[in-house]
Each structure stands twice: as C-alpha cells, then as structure tokens.
Amino acid sequence: MPFEELLAEDGRVEPRDEMPDAYRRTLVRQIAQHAHSEIIGMQPEGNWISRAPSLRRKAILMAKVQDEAGHGLYLYAAAETLGVDREDLLDQLHTGRQKYSSIFNYPTLTWADVGAIGWLVDGAAIVNQVPLCRCSYGPYARAMVRVCKEESFHQRQGFEILHTLSHGTPAQKAMAQDAVDRYWWPSLMMFGPPDDDSPNSAQSMAWGIKRFSNDDLRQRFVDMTVPQAEILGLTLPDPEIRWNEERGHYDFGTVDFTELFEVIKGNGPCNAERMAHRVKAHEDGAWVREAASAYASKRSSEAVA
Amino acid sequence: MTSADYVLGLADDALVSAQRMGWWISRAPQLEEDLALANIGLDQLGQARSLLSYAGTMLDRTEDDLAYLRDDREFRNVWLVERPQTDFGVTMARLLLFSAWQRELYAALVTSSDATLAGIAGKAVKEVAYHLDHASQWVIRLGDGTDESHSRMQAALDAEWPYLDELFEGAPELRPAVLARIEQVVAEATLAVPEVAPVVGGGRHGLHTEHLGYLLAEMQHLHRSHPGATW
C-alpha cells in the first residue's frame, strides 16, 4: 500500500515498505536520540549503585540501570531496521552530531535524586512515550511497548523511594524535597519547547510519529503528578500550581526555556562529563571488540576450511 | 554445625565482588556486556543477601547490619575479589578463577547437611555455572583474539593468579577440579598457566589489602550517615 494511504488508514509502516527519505531520516534521528538517551541515562543513576543505602535498594537500582541498557539495545535494533548500524550511530553520539535527552546533563547529588529521577523523569518519559506505542513506524512502536512497561515499573520504584524518604527522618525528608526542587523544572522541559516554538512538530504529527503536542503532553504530566506529590507530602517548586475548574486541568507557572537551550548547547552542569565517560568506555573497550571480531573471523575461516 | 564466620566468608566474597562488578555498568566494552556484567553482579548480590541473612539469624543481625555496619577487620572475603579492577581482561581473569572455585564449592554444598546452606547453594550453583561460562568464553576470545588482546589477557591472568590459593584455605579438596577447569580454558585461550608464587592472604581472618577500606567507605557512608533510618 502506498505510504500516504497507509498513514491515512492509521496502518503501520514496516521496514520493507516504501517511505519518503525525510520520514526515514526523521525516524533515524529520533530513535537514535532515544537510544542514546537510554545509555547516557545509565550514568546519573549508575552514580549511586556503589552507595545505595540498603542491599535491597542496591539490587533494584542495578536492575533498573540494566533495564536501560536493554532499552538501548531494543532501540538501536529498531533504528537498524531503517538501514543504519549501531556503530555508526554511536560514532555520531560520540562526535556530538546526534543528541541525547538534556535531562541527563543534571547531576545526581543525593540518594533522593535516584527517587526523583524515577518518579519525575521516568514519569515524564512515560507520558512522552506511551503515544509512541502507536507510532506509524512498526518496529519503533513495538520497541516502545516493551520500554513503557518497564518504565512504569521504574516510576513506581522512584515514587516508593521518595515515599520512604518523605516518611522517614527529618534529614531524609529534606533530602527528598531538595531532589524534587531540583528535578521538577528540568522534567517539565523534557516535553520540548512550547508548541508555537517547535519547528518539527507539525511534520511529525502529519507522519503519525508524534500524536500529541508538546504542551498537551506537558499538561498531562502536570495533571498526573500534582496529586502524587500530595500523597508524598512533598511540595512542587511552583507557587502557581492550582486546580482550574473551568479548564479541568492544573494551571502551572511558565517554564524558563532559556536554561534548556543552554543545556542543549552543551552548557549544562554535566554535558562534558557524560560525554567523556561515554567516550572513555567506548575507547577503553576497543581492544576487546577488536579481539572478539578477530576471534570470530578465525573461527569462521576454520569452519570454511 | 555451620559457623557464622564460614557463612560470612562466602557472603562477603559475593558482596565485595558484586560491588566491584557494579562499577562496570555504563563502562563495558559493548552494550551487551553492560547487561551481562549487571546480571552477574545481581546474581552475586543475591547470593550475598541470602548468605548474610542466614549469618544474621545466627548473630541476631539483619543483612544490612552486616553489610553496612561492620568494619574492614570484620570482613571475611578473600583478597581476589577486593582489589580494584578497571581493565576488562582483569575482570574476566578474576571471574574465571572466582567462578570456577564457586562452581565446585556450591556443587559440593548442595548436599550439605545444613539445609539452609544447601538451599542457597542449589540456586547459586546454576548462577555461577553461567558466570564461569561467560568468563571462559571471554578469556578464550581475548587470549586467541589479536596480539594485543593475547598479551593483555596473559598479563591479567598473571596478575590474578597469586590470589587463587587463598580460595582453597579450609577446603583443599576443591583444588584439583577447579584447577583442571581453569587450565582447560587457559589452554584453549592459547595462554600459559602463570608460574607465580601465591600471595600470603588473610581475608578469612579479617586481614585485608588496603583497598577494602576504600570500597567499604564508599559502600557504607550513606547508610552510616543516618543511623537507624529506613530506606
């Protein structure tokens, strides 16, 4: 079926189907950026594996960071169905030609940040990603179904970390509040710029890659999160948050996107460190990857002989 | 009857090894290996938790009391697992020695008259068989890969070998089977069995390298900074 008809019927585009080059390029960029975000996202939480305050929390955190590596694998595999390869995408990440989510350029300063990332950052990711399970490109949509299931598990774990802290000692509660204070606004920025300043959105909507606007998703996240903050007994750092009966939504303050644009430009608190960590891991592992492929080709030439 | 000290030895081996393994997550040579090393670390952490809980029943302490509130002189792990490791070849050499020993140890403990220990061993023996297989495959690939990987893998094996002996303290009967397995892998990897003298270790008696103190300082500081808190 021709591409336009398939989209009109809300069908799924599969790897062998005809598709416009621009559609393919947009998907590669978006899926690669998503995969890169998963693997860079291992760093801020991985930062607390060695210091997790109980063995149970250590096990949960190790499993969570491992899940992120798994998400990276599904997503690189989805991107590969579009005719690119993982090595090449990693190279684009390492040379700064492809981006990852700016949220991972913020530091995890305390244990409560692990909870805040689970609750807020994974919560925002879920709101962004659930509609992607209906994305017009089949392999991406199917990868997102698995990712979303695991993300909602992570979000509950993050909530539970903060719930335990906010019902713990005064120092623990203060730690939880501080983490929420620092992660709230960056989480709202995860939905991207406001609709009237989002140049690629309209085309992505027309292609069925994007299903809802940035501002609609941001509102959905605020509506979901405010009642949860009340259960936690924590305050969101925005005095303008209040229920608006007429709109049927929570009103909230204006997001200051100048900070987001600085972080995207590379001036966030951890941009340089995240990239250096990633590039070092890749370079330090080069001899291992070379050895594995040398070994594999020796074996296959033996098999031929 | 099993002594708490004996169980702590096995628990601390697994815990300290898991702590070192956790470092690799986000630093592995490829994404598949981030997953595999996390898996191995999680298995070891699970073994440590079961064993610490069991020791805790004898000592009236929780797994977290034992992990977070003992000082290094009270830890009972061998030296093999506690030294820093930031080279993939070293990690695989160490895992080969450690898991080959654990494999024989847990296989023997499955028939222990101590039912709790036998139960823990029954689960662990399957896990460490996978660790041993993973380490073996990497030692072989790296040994028989490129010239560079061959010399790095040999150097890693030479560096870990002096710490092998300590594993057999109190159970010398495991040595032949463990060595046979390791030597088979070393041969297939086209490497040489190191001829180096064993180090005089003392981990089972609470005498450690200088490295353990730093590992514990990092692992324990948050827990100890909030006495009595729940996490």
Side-chain angles (χ1 to χ4, degrees), chain A residues 70-92:
Chain A
H71 296 174
L73 271 184
Y74 316 151
L75 287 162
Y76 285 119
E80 286 182 333
T81 65
L82 291 159
V84 292
D85 69 47
R86 197 208 308 180
E87 270 309 299
D88 194 45
L89 297 176
L90 284 173
D91 188 54
Q92 302 213 40

Side-chain angles (χ1 to χ4, degrees), chain A residues 164-183:
Chain A
T164 305
L165 293 175
S166 68
H167 294 78
T169 66
Q172 285 177 305
K173 181 160 187 181
M175 192 192 285
Q177 183 63 58
D178 169 59
V180 169
D181 288 348
R182 282 182 288 111
Y183 272 92

